[in-house]
Every structure is written in C-alpha cells, then in structure tokens.
Amino acid sequence: MKEEVYCYTCGNPRGDLTEWRCKSCGGAYTLEHDNLFSQSKIINSRFNMWRYADALSPSIRENPVTLGEGCTPLINPITPNIHFKLEYVMPTASFKDRGSSAVVSYVRSLMKRKKIRGVVEDSSGNAGASITAYSSFLGIECRVYVPKGSVGHKVKQIEQLGGRVEEVDGSREDAAKKAQEAKDPYLYIGHAWSPYFIEGIKTLAYEVVEQLKWSIPEVIYLPAASGTLLLGVIYGYKTLLNSGVIEKCPKIVAVQQQEVSTIHDTFYGLPSHRSTYSGIADALNVKNPPRLNEIITELRKVGGEVKTVRRSEIIRAARELGLMGMHVEYSAAVAYAAFRKKLEDFIYSDTEAVIILTGSGLKSI
C-alpha cells in the first residue's frame, strides 16, 4: 500500500520520518495513500473510529492507540433534518481525540525504529489534554506548551492526565515556537502541523455518512481556527467521493469569532485582524494558522463559505444549546451561532444540515 508525505505548498517529499515541516519552504506536510473507503471493510465489532481502519494510512492502522474515541451521537432535537454531531462525547471531551489517536498511533509505529522518550505539543488546552491522554496510555511522556493565562480547567486536565505543562509568556504562536524547539529523545507532534492528526479527523466524515444511512447532508457547520477539523472533514468526504460512496461533497461552512478571523478575512480578501485581541472562544484564538493556504484552497474547491459571529451571538447560542440538553464550550457554540441565523430556512424545508459541536462545556466552568 502506497503512502506519501509531501509539502502541500512546494510538493517536496518529507525526508526524515520525524520531520514536522518542509525543510525547503517551511510549509506543512500533507498525507496521501491509496486506501479507498469500502463499506464492506468496516470492522463492525469496533465501536470507535478504528472501525474505518481500512480507509486510513498504512503507518497508523496496524497497532492503533485507542481510548474508544469516535462513534459519537448524532441527534435531532429541533427537526429531523437538523443534526447535531456531539463530538464532545469523547474520552477527553473534545473532537481532538480522533486526531490524537491517529498521531500517537504514528508515534508508536516510529518507536519500532527510533528511541522516543516523549512527545511535545503546543495547545490552548483541548489538544494538549487529548495528546497527553493518548501518550499516557502508550506509556510515554508528554510536554505541553500553553500561553500563560490559558483556561484553568483545561490546564488542570492536562496535569491530571499526566502531562507536564510549560507556560509561555505571549501568544498561542509564542507557545508553538517554544514547543518546536524539542530535541531527541522528545518528538514535536504539533497537531496543527501533523498530517496524521488530520488523518484521524477524516473518520468524522465517514461516521456522519454511515449514521445518515450513506447519504450526505447539504451543509455542515463547524468551528475553524488551526483548520485541522475543517481539513479533516473535507479530506474525508473527498475520500468517500473518490471511492464512489457519495456523488458529491457537502457544502462546508467554517465559522470563526469576529475578534480572531484570519481564515474569514483571507478567504474574502479583507484586511486581517491579526492583532492582540482574543475572543471568548479560547480554543479559536489562532491568529496565524500554519495551514492557512491549504485551508483556503481546499475550502474553495468544495464551494465552502466562512462566517463570523459576535461575542453576544456565541453566548446566546451556548445557552440555547444548553436548553436543548447540549452543554458545550463557547468554541463549540460558534458553529450553532452561525447556523441559527438560517434556522427558519431549515425548519421549513427538508434540507439536511449537520452542526458539529466540538468541546464540552465542562472544560470552561
């Protein structure tokens, strides 16, 4: 089975298996393999994302590191055509567990030929907690660099799971720079850079299609910051399309908060707000996503859109979701905040929509 890792920007192949960015242009790597999706090869005895192992890259599928992530609920509290995907119903309470399971499985495959004592990650909280959990399960150390002032509950979750938290003065990007200084026997596996993290997110697309009895929604609303969720969903649906499972990709609507809207501004050619401002949705305060060019390119290929929402709209959306029984953090509520502006259009039609809710509200109490 063929598996290739190369730079999305310049096309140069990855050299060393531990490289996390292109040595030629500094771009992010992307992953391609020839595994197509086949309904007949779903492992029905597995009630997690690894039921789709046959459609994942060869280097991670042989001996996966899993805590039972995936197979999250898809519910319809409003009308039958409006679906909420509860990605916060996960081992560490966020969608990041799909990506963490995949990237730590890749680390396990590397350990056969290279001494790795631990991994290093940069995060505002959710990814750090997630990668820590899977690293602890594998039995290796995890160091997480976070911006000083990160949400306390998320930092405590990292520590409770066995991670070593390193606070960094400055922004989210400053924390990333410190993490990227990691040296042997520690391996930097930053989720925003790792193509294997995105590989794990692809299973979300597979899961939604299976839950909808092999049909696709007309539109999917999801929050966007570093773009791993967005790209994983797009690449997942592209795999389904190339495999002949579906006839077209759904429309993707990426949602950002107004205070930090780099993807939105770039997508529409607007002056960027790359300032010191941060928004209420702490997990979305990423001002310089490393995959920005890839995000814009792939979103345009599938005819997607980018929306922004105000602080007051996010708070109201979170409250409404709570009244429907879904307790999510503000970073998850942004998707519904944008969708609710079109709510009546969907209520009075048969158009299928999926809103992805990414993180539990328990993380930010």
Side-chain angles (χ1 to χ4, degrees):
M1 290 174 285
K2 186 178 180 182
E3 178 175 323
E4 293 181 338
V5 178
Y6 60 90
C7 178
Y8 185 90
T9 302
C10 72
N12 278 355
R14 180 183 62 180
D16 187 87
L17 293 175
T18 62
E19 284 180 13
W20 58 270
R21 72 185 303 177
C22 177
K23 286 190 174 181
S24 296
C25 73
Y29 286 123
T30 191
L31 168 67
E32 284 191 1
H33 53 83
D34 56 7
N35 292 12
L36 295 177
F37 186 98
S38 172
Q39 294 167 248
S40 65
K41 292 185 178 180
I42 294 174
I43 306 171
N44 289 309
S45 60
R46 293 182 180 177
F47 296 98
N48 55 52
M49 77 176 211
W50 293 98
R51 65 195 279 108
Y52 311 115
D54 186 75
L56 297 175
S57 61
S59 60
I60 68 172
R61 56 186 280 192
E62 291 183 8
N63 197 6
V65 179
T66 177
L67 290 169
E69 60 292 322
C71 290
T72 57
L74 186 71
I75 66 171
N76 313 79
I78 302 176
T79 57
N81 60 309
I82 299 173
H83 311 275
F84 290 86
K85 182 64 169 162
L86 309 189
E87 283 292 283
Y88 60 89
V89 185
M90 289 278 201
T92 72
S94 90
F95 81 96
K96 298 283 177 65
D97 290 347
R98 293 184 189 270
S100 296
S101 178
V103 74
V104 176
S105 294
Y106 178 67
V107 172
R108 172 181 266 178
S109 72
L110 289 180
M111 291 171 69
K112 297 177 182 178
R113 65 198 75 152
K114 180 180 177 63
K115 181 180 179 181
I116 298 175
R117 182 176 176 180
V119 296
V120 180
E121 161 72 328
D122 55 273
S123 170
S124 62
N126 286 341
S130 183
I131 286 180
T132 295
Y134 287 85
S135 299
S136 293
F137 186 79
L138 182 58
I140 59 175
E141 297 178 30
C142 184
R143 297 178 179 177
V144 183
Y145 288 78
V146 303
K148 188 167 286 185
S150 295
V151 176
H153 281 66
K154 294 182 179 182
V155 172
K156 288 179 181 178
Q157 185 184 19
I158 294 170
E159 294 173 335
Q160 183 67 27
L161 290 166
R164 176 176 166 180
V165 176
E166 303 281 359
E167 287 194 328
V168 177
D169 287 322
S171 67
R172 177 73 176 74
E173 287 73 23
D174 292 321
K177 289 177 183 177
K178 290 296 293 183
Q180 289 159 8
E181 295 173 2
K183 293 179 174 60
D184 285 342
Y186 291 89
L187 179 66
Y188 176 66
I189 57 168
H191 70 283
W193 289 91
S194 173
Y196 295 97
F197 194 93
I198 293 174
E199 182 76 359
I201 303 297
K202 286 166 62 176
T203 61
L204 197 163
Y206 304 156
E207 203 169 286
V208 169
V209 168
E210 183 180 8
Q211 288 174 316
L212 292 178
K213 299 180 181 179
W214 308 109
S215 66
I216 63 165
E218 186 68 27
V219 62
I220 296 177
Y221 281 74
L222 50 80
S226 63
T228 55
L229 174 62
L230 171 65
L231 291 171
V233 169
I234 289 175
Y235 291 155
Y237 277 105
K238 279 190 171 183
T239 297
L240 292 167
L241 182 65
N242 293 335
S243 303
V245 177
I246 60 176
E247 295 182 352
K248 67 174 184 176
C249 291
K251 180 179 181 179
I252 307 295
V253 179
V255 188
Q256 297 199 283
Q257 55 189 338
Q258 281 189 348
E259 294 86 350
V260 186
S261 55
T262 304
I263 295 172
H264 171 272
D265 298 341
T266 306
F267 191 82
Y268 294 110
L270 303 173
S272 182
H273 298 152
R274 299 187 194 190
S275 64
T276 57
Y277 293 115
S278 293
I280 191 174
D282 65 285
L284 304 184
N285 287 325
V286 178
K287 299 178 176 67
N288 297 292
R291 294 182 179 273
L292 183 58
N293 176 58
E294 183 179 359
I295 292 167
I296 301 302
T297 300
E298 296 300 329
L299 192 56
R300 284 178 173 156
K301 284 182 181 178
V302 296
E305 295 181 3
V306 189
K307 302 292 185 182
T308 61
V309 289
R310 299 189 303 272
R311 176 189 176 96
S312 59
E313 292 172 328
I314 297 170
I315 294 172
R316 181 173 179 179
R319 288 175 178 169
E320 287 188 9
L321 288 168
L323 292 173
M324 290 186 279
M326 295 170 283
H327 184 199
V328 302
E329 63 177 331
Y330 290 136
S331 301
V334 297
Y336 180 61
F339 175 80
R340 66 185 301 279
K341 297 177 183 181
K342 298 281 188 179
L343 184 58
E344 283 195 13
D345 294 343
F346 285 91
I347 288 176
Y348 297 107
S349 74
D350 295 324
T351 304
E352 301 270 349
V354 172
I355 303 97
I356 299 176
L357 302 180
T358 50
S360 171
L362 296 174
K363 287 175 171 280
S364 54
I365 289 178

